[in-house]
Amino acid sequence: MKATVNRIPMVEKEMIPSLHFSHKDVLDNTEAQKKRLWDLNRASILGNGYHGKVEITFKTAEGDLKRVDTTVWAVDDKFMTLKGGCCIPTSSVVGVEFY
């Protein structure tokens, strides 16, 4: 079995407030958007109940993909709040990885 390397750069959650995000949703499929919200809500339950971390992949306004390894505290249809109070627009989230 061959190991794969994720080439999307990892950023610290403290850098997120300095990033810019688009108002356009990065996912154009309604089902993918529903799954994203479902995954983010699961991540919030994991974060609040067990202080568990997840890996969030998101896209900036410039079109760059980034990743952050963090605890999700709150989620709604507009924003997700991470540990430390940083927010990412829900529409900028590409995916959530649980481990």
Side-chain angles (χ1 to χ4, degrees):
M1 178 162 76
K2 204 175 204 181
T4 60
V5 176
N6 194 336
R7 298 188 191 277
I8 300 171
M10 185 74 74
V11 296
E12 297 296 324
K13 68 179 177 296
E14 293 79 14
M15 284 185 54
I16 291 173
S18 68
L19 299 174
H20 300 281
F21 297 96
S22 174
H23 295 287
K24 185 176 187 289
D25 201 313
V26 297
L27 302 177
D28 55 0
N29 179 315
T30 305
E31 290 303 313
Q33 292 170 355
K34 286 179 186 177
K35 182 183 183 317
R36 172 182 58 202
L37 196 54
W38 173 265
D39 286 344
L40 289 173
N41 280 308
R42 283 183 55 216
S44 177
I45 292 167
L46 178 66
N48 286 298
Y50 304 98
H51 301 282
K53 290 185 173 187
V54 293
E55 187 176 285
I56 305 289
T57 303
F58 61 93
K59 188 180 273 192
T60 65
E62 294 79 18
D64 299 327
L65 287 174
K66 308 270 187 202
R67 296 180 299 146
V68 63
D69 185 36
T70 189
T71 304
V72 177
W73 288 123
V75 175
D76 66 21
D77 60 333
K78 300 284 184 208
F79 290 95
M80 57 178 286
T81 305
L82 310 177
K83 184 176 179 180
C86 300
C87 292
I88 297 175
T90 303
S91 61
S92 295
V93 175
V94 176
V96 181
E97 292 292 323
F98 296 88
Y99 51 90

